[in-house]
């Protein structure tokens, strides 16, 4: 199941035209990703002691500007799982349900104890349901 997180655009997120600065969309993706994990009883504080998930690739497609005080809805889901990496896909909509941005972040699996890449652990696979994956990635 995808996760839906609401984020209110704050003054600090905007430029002089009260439009969300482009780099902040990646922060919105991160907030949604952390909430996805929390909803599955894996708060980031716990995950981080077991595995690190560095972002190895990120992409944002900007469709419509988000503005100061907009209440955004960020939908996140795991769209791909590989042996040692996974991808979160995101969709951001404004209060009128208009598409604001889409994107993805690809994450590697890193063992903090050994400082080495590792395969995706079973406990993490369990919270990434096949139903969320693109048909070719199942």
């Amino acid at each position: 199941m995808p996760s839906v997180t609401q984020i209110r655009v704050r003054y600090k997120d905007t430029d002089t035209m009260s439009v969300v600065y482009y780099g902040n969309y990646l922060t919105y993706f991160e907030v949604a990703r952390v909430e996805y994990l929390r909803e599955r009883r894996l708060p980031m504080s716990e995950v981080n002691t077991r595995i690190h998930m560095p972002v190895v690739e990120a992409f944002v497609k900007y469709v419509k500007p988000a503005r100061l005080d907009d209440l955004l809805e960020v939908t996140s889901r795991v769209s791909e799982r590989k042996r040692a990496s996974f991808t979160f896909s995101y969709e951001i909509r404004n209060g009128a349900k208009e598409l604001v941005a889409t994107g993805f972040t690809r994450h590697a699996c890193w063992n903090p104890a050994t400082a080495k890449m590792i395969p995706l652990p079973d406990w993490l696979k369990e919270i990434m349901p096949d139903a969320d994956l693109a048909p070719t990635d199942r």
Side-chain angles (χ1 to χ4, degrees):
M1 291 281 300
S3 172
V4 178
T5 303
Q6 290 191 332
I7 298 173
R8 175 81 59 189
V9 175
R10 298 168 294 178
Y11 180 75
K12 75 169 206 66
D13 295 342
T14 63
D15 60 19
T16 57
M17 298 177 291
S18 295
V19 171
V20 172
Y21 175 73
Y22 74 93
N24 286 319
Y25 289 90
L26 290 170
T27 299
Y28 297 163
F29 290 174
E30 178 187 1
V31 170
R33 182 171 63 249
V34 168
E35 289 305 313
Y36 177 100
L37 293 168
R38 184 185 319 280
E39 287 175 8
R40 286 147 181 85
R41 298 186 182 163
L42 284 172
M44 200 62 209
S45 56
E46 179 185 327
V47 171
N48 208 39
T49 64
R50 300 167 77 177
I51 188 174
H52 289 176
M53 304 181 307
V55 174
V56 296
E57 184 178 3
F59 173 81
V60 183
K61 180 179 179 183
Y62 306 98
V63 178
K64 182 179 183 75
R67 300 184 181 280
L68 180 63
D69 285 331
D70 281 355
L71 184 60
L72 304 176
E73 197 171 87
V74 186
T75 302
S76 60
R77 67 183 184 89
V78 176
S79 57
E80 180 181 59
R81 285 189 317 237
K82 293 196 173 185
R83 188 185 75 73
S85 68
F86 56 94
T87 302
F88 271 92
S89 295
Y90 310 92
E91 183 178 279
I92 300 177
R93 293 187 176 273
N94 61 20
K97 303 294 185 199
E98 299 167 316
L99 187 62
V100 170
T102 62
F104 69 86
T105 53
R106 183 162 295 120
H107 303 263
C109 297
W110 181 265
N111 184 326
T114 64
K116 293 186 179 183
M117 296 289 293
I118 59 170
L120 189 62
D122 288 340
W123 60 267
L124 197 51
K125 284 182 197 175
E126 288 175 12
I127 66 150
M128 299 176 173
D130 288 344
D132 285 352
L133 301 175
T136 58
D137 296 320
R138 291 185 183 167

